Amino acid sequence: MARPIQARDIGRYCEDQIEKLLRAAVLETDSLLKQASPVDTGRFRASWQVGENAAPGGIAPPGSYSGATAIKRLGYQKEKVGNIYSVHNNLPYAEPLASGSSKQADPGWVQGIAKDVQTRVQAAAARIGKES
């Protein structure tokens, strides 16, 4: 059963719903890129970051990394409507890995994730709509 919303609260309700969807899209993209990242030492996987409005990022220091890495938000705490978010990896060898010119990764793996995210965002939208 849908909950009643006061007319004065419709704008805020809509914004909250869109922000839930935006958050789901960003988290899903970050997670899928990390899961699909080729792993030698784990540094590449650990270096994925999310920037808001083209926030610059650093890179993970050399070393060995194990397990899943949490989302790294640069310069913000929570996704908000009206901002642009990018998931990026600043390691010097990120471009060859992402483009598939490295022997460690299949060509097109990043583009495949981008297409997969579109489907997952549609599913998230349906789920968020049912929860409201």
Side-chain angles (χ1 to χ4, degrees), residues 28-101:
E28 192 71 24
T29 302
D30 181 68
S31 176
L32 289 172
L33 284 167
K34 287 176 180 174
Q35 289 171 27
S37 291
V39 176
D40 182 13
T41 65
R43 185 177 181 208
F44 180 71
R45 180 177 284 171
S47 291
W48 287 107
Q49 304 164 57
V50 180
E52 180 181 71
N53 299 323
I59 58 174
S64 185
Y65 298 83
S66 61
T69 57
I71 188 169
K72 292 178 186 163
R73 292 180 171 100
L74 301 176
Y76 77 101
Q77 297 297 316
K78 190 175 178 184
E79 291 76 15
K80 296 275 187 193
V81 172
N83 294 309
I84 298 170
Y85 297 92
S86 61
V87 182
H88 55 275
N89 193 316
N90 289 338
L91 283 174
Y93 53 86
E95 190 66 35
L97 282 174
S99 68
S101 61

